[in-house]
Amino acid sequence: MSEAETELLLRAAGSLPEFSPYLFSGCHDRAHAAYVLLPAAVRAKAGKVWLFPPARYTSAIAGKLGLNLAVPYGEKVEWGYHVALYFKTSRGDLVLDAALTPGQLISPERWFSMMKIPAPSFWTVLDGGLYLFNDSGTPSFGRPPWPHRNTNLMNGYFYRYEGDAAGSNRIPLNLARDAVGAALIAGGGCPALRAAITEPENLLELLRRTDLPADCAPLQERFRTEVQSWSQRLSQAR
């Protein structure tokens, strides 16, 4: 990126909407939402940096990513991968992580230092328009499971985001769930939702139900409002 493009990137990063710091899931949703919301000239120069611990690419070695930050529930965070936006700028390579460093561009070295990274992990930079990857499912070796056998291994195929076009509204739903998750971490909330505070898929399923206790209604309304807000933001950016 030229110096002028780098300056545009810095301004754009600072003007992105706030992403809720719910760190149990959603890095690919946050990264892609930030990508979509960037100006076209900056988006054209964006990549994504993917970090994979062994638990995501091999069935033989244990090890997931952890969080190297003193935040509430941080000791419970485990990731099978992490992703953020990556730029080669006139001021060096820079990372934009909408959850770990919202609105800030940092060096790859600082980004890596925010995580506990087991050996042998690897990282790579790919096209910014790629949203997520496919899994290979459970490997079968015709013998009992290995002591550290992992499932849902990355198969190397990355795909672009088509969720909204297919009617799933996936990114707005997940970002709205993150907002509720962050509110739960901050304290309060109904017991039914607090029980799923570290389980993002279960939390999203609960928020979409119609039979939760009445004391969950405020957070369910927050969820619906956030879905509408993110849907509007992302649709207007395209």
Side-chain angles (χ1 to χ4, degrees):
M1 300 180 74
S2 67
E3 181 62 20
E5 290 169 331
T6 300
E7 286 287 348
L8 178 60
L9 168 62
L10 293 172
R11 292 194 300 271
S15 64
L16 286 172
E18 181 179 356
F19 290 86
S20 298
Y22 178 68
L23 300 178
F24 291 101
S25 186
C27 63
H28 57 289
D29 294 303
R30 287 186 290 266
H32 202 73
Y35 169 81
V36 170
L37 292 170
L38 289 172
V42 173
R43 194 164 60 242
K45 300 295 181 72
K48 283 180 183 168
V49 54
W50 297 83
L51 175 59
F52 291 101
R56 201 58 171 174
Y57 69 83
T58 174
S59 65
I61 305 174
K64 292 186 176 182
L65 301 173
L67 200 58
N68 201 24
L69 297 172
V71 296
Y73 290 84
E75 73 282 358
K76 296 182 180 295
V77 171
E78 280 191 339
W79 294 330
Y81 66 94
H82 193 53
V83 60
L85 294 179
Y86 193 94
F87 302 89
K88 300 186 77 67
T89 79
S90 61
R91 305 180 191 185
D93 291 3
L94 296 173
V95 175
L96 175 60
D97 190 312
L100 299 183
T101 56
Q104 299 181 45
L105 288 147
I106 61 173
S107 68
E109 291 76 18
R110 183 182 169 198
W111 186 66
F112 291 133
S113 75
M114 293 180 171
M115 293 170 276
K116 297 175 182 177
I117 305 175
S121 298
F122 76 90
W123 65 281
T124 187
V125 178
L126 300 176
D127 186 324
L130 296 174
Y131 171 61
L132 195 53
F133 52 87
N134 282 340
D135 296 325
S136 63
T138 303
S140 175
F141 299 100
R143 52 186 157 184
W146 294 3
H148 296 305
R149 184 170 172 181
N150 307 309
T151 60
N152 297 325
L153 304 180
M154 177 192 66
N155 71 1
Y157 178 80
F158 288 76
Y159 57 89
R160 297 180 182 273
Y161 183 72
E162 297 180 355
D164 292 347
S168 72
N169 218 24
R170 185 187 306 178
I171 290 180
L173 284 168
N174 289 340
L175 294 179
R177 179 230 25 229
D178 293 352
V180 173
L184 291 169
I185 288 173
C190 63
L193 293 178
R194 289 196 63 79
I197 197 170
T198 64
E199 304 168 3
E201 292 183 5
N202 190 24
L203 179 58
L204 178 58
E205 181 180 346
L206 287 170
L207 287 166
R208 302 182 75 178
R209 287 173 58 170
T210 59
D211 60 347
L212 285 181
D215 58 348
C216 296
L219 284 179
Q220 280 194 296
E221 179 59 29
R222 169 78 182 276
F223 172 71
R224 288 189 289 267
T225 300
E226 291 281 348
V227 170
Q228 293 174 354
S229 177
W230 281 110
S231 296
Q232 184 175 19
R233 281 193 189 104
L234 295 174
S235 64
Q236 290 175 343
R238 295 192 179 125

